[in-house]
Amino acid sequence: MSEKSESAKEKRMPSKPKPASPAARAVPGPKPVAPDRAAPKPKPVAEENLNPYEFALLQFERAADHLGLDTGVREVLSTPKRQLIASVPVKMDDGSISVFHGYRVQHSIARGPSKGGIRYHPDVTLDEVKALAMWMTWKCAVVNIPFGGAKGGITVDPKKLSLGENERMTRRYTSEISILLGHDRDIPAPDVYTNPQTMAWMMDTFSMTKGYSTLGVVTGKPLAVGGSAGRNDATAEGCFVAIEEAARRLSLPLNGATAAVQGFGNAGAAVARFLDEAGVRVVAVSDSKGAVYDKRGLALDAVSAAKEKKGSVTAARGERITNDEILELPVDILVPAALEGVITRKNAARIKAQIVAEAANGPTTPDADDILRAKGTIVIPDILANAGGVTVSYFEWVQDLYSFFWEPDVVRTHLERTIRRAYDEVDGMARRYNTDLRTAALILGVGRVEEATRIRGLFP
Ligand code: NAD
């Protein structure tokens, strides 16, 4: 196991601002910059960069330009606080040993303990985890909850593990990263291919090494062990509320509108259900094996049953299309709810949806953002569209600390209020800075983290 704190400097864009003076490094406040002067100029790039960490940095720099942050502050805010890489040896069912690579990155603790999910996927890399951790920091600030950002993951295909192997891997990984964890330090949650059971194992492992139960060390737990009502659907519910806000501003009635959802998992399947309940015709959904399309609208119960029985939504009735084609369907609302980097410079011009609601983290590259903005597409950015999950994680953490649990309607009311308020604030920033919703959300989030950092000052 090794703990690194590598600088992100070398990986920045070519046009780096000049080095800051010692005074500037004392983390002063942002200098107000006139919106037109601050507007980022698109940079010609020979080939689109699909490294999520590099495009997270590019997004950050756009917001930092608007806020007029100097180089020193940019470095403080964009460099991950801690990065841990752990080897995770696991005894497999056949008696052999496999060693997996696990990561936990804490991007910031300026506004409170760091918070962020755990991903199990064959494509997990340190850079992906760093990007996701940074987005968590801005997301928590956008919805104004007292957390910093973190993320974790293991490079593994969990579909190839038995339940027992998955449990042993989870417990060993938890033990390896436990030096960072704690209800007042760093609090994981589920992400791609992890779920409430994973969180129960993590909480139990952490608690057993302490000798007492610490429910608040992870969120997204089952109800029986300190979970919150409404957490399973929280990401989707928040995403749906954000779609309602966008549709209202576009005067687009949801009843009768059409939608496509890429990624029929925790987030995507529930967004599809919320849309369906609001009268939206969900014409296509997908998973890692492909997509299913029926322009008359899919019967979502039948899609779920097909996924349950045959392992994929593609077994449901309808036309089989690809995960690329689903993005370009003629629909009003597109919900990317799988992985990052799927809407790129190559396909952005062909996206037909009026609203792109990013249930997934990082599905749109900065180049694609520029193309969509020029087309007038409303992109509800991930750090707003999927913030319902971490919002209810925060409620779960509060309930665990108080050992007092809320009724489902209380959770729902607070969640809805939080997302509507955040949407209003982001929309206000977009008008004030004459920019798109992503940059506006980043200006709001980065601005709040910058304020906390400045007020705290630099140690020592
Ligand atoms: P999940 O594992 O439940 O679902 C992921 C879905 O994506 C599955 O349907 C899977 O088949 C599909 N998928 C995997 N690889 C794919 C590929 N290459 N192409 C198309 N589809 C593919 O995960 P989740 O928790 O729903 O997370 C999905 C996204 O939402 C991620 O970006 C995650 O970071 C984000 N998110 C999740 C939460 C949450 O509370 N679960 C919160 C905020 C953001």
Side-chain angles (χ1 to χ4, degrees), residues 119 191-193 231 235 264-267 287-288 323 337-338 359-361:
R119 177 173 295 195
D191 192 75
V192 174
Y193 296 151
R231 176 60 185 89
T235 303
F264 200 68
N266 289 334
D287 59 27
S288 60
N323 258 307
N361 284 303

Side-chain angles (χ1 to χ4, degrees), residues 74-143:
R74 286 174 197 240
E75 276 191 40
V76 170
L77 296 182
S78 63
T79 307
K81 180 174 176 58
R82 293 191 183 101
Q83 303 172 57
L84 189 152
I85 305 174
S87 105
V88 184
V90 179
K91 196 170 278 177
M92 309 304 278
D93 291 347
D94 65 4
S96 66
I97 292 173
S98 292
V99 180
F100 301 97
H101 295 286
Y103 308 94
R104 184 70 181 170
V105 174
Q106 296 177 339
H107 173 258
S108 168
I109 58 167
R111 287 170 44 90
S114 49
K115 186 88 191 76
I118 305 290
R119 177 173 295 195
Y120 291 169
H121 195 277
D123 297 339
V124 165
T125 61
L126 180 61
D127 269 0
E128 180 185 58
V129 177
K130 281 159 67 179
L132 291 161
M134 184 189 281
W135 288 324
M136 284 306 298
T137 301
W138 315 140
K139 189 185 304 181
C140 292
V142 165
V143 285

Side-chain angles (χ1 to χ4, degrees), residues 29-31 60 63-71 73-74 77 446 450:
K31 299 180 200 91
F60 164 77
D65 285 348
H66 278 287
L67 288 164
L69 302 183
D70 64 51
T71 312
V73 180
R74 286 174 197 240
L77 296 182
V446 171
E450 186 278 336

Side-chain angles (χ1 to χ4, degrees), residues 11 45 152 255 325:
K11 299 196 171 162
V45 196
N255 195 355
E325 288 166 336

Side-chain angles (χ1 to χ4, degrees), residues 219 231 234-236 238 386-394 415 419:
T219 59
R231 176 60 185 89
T235 303
N386 69 37
V390 76
T391 300
V392 175
S393 272
Y394 166 56
L415 168 62
I419 299 298

Side-chain angles (χ1 to χ4, degrees), residues 165-179:
E165 289 166 344
N166 192 320
E167 176 176 354
R168 292 194 289 282
M169 180 186 73
T170 299
R171 289 187 181 278
R172 180 60 187 252
Y173 168 72
T174 306
S175 162
E176 295 294 343
I177 66 167
S178 63
I179 51 172

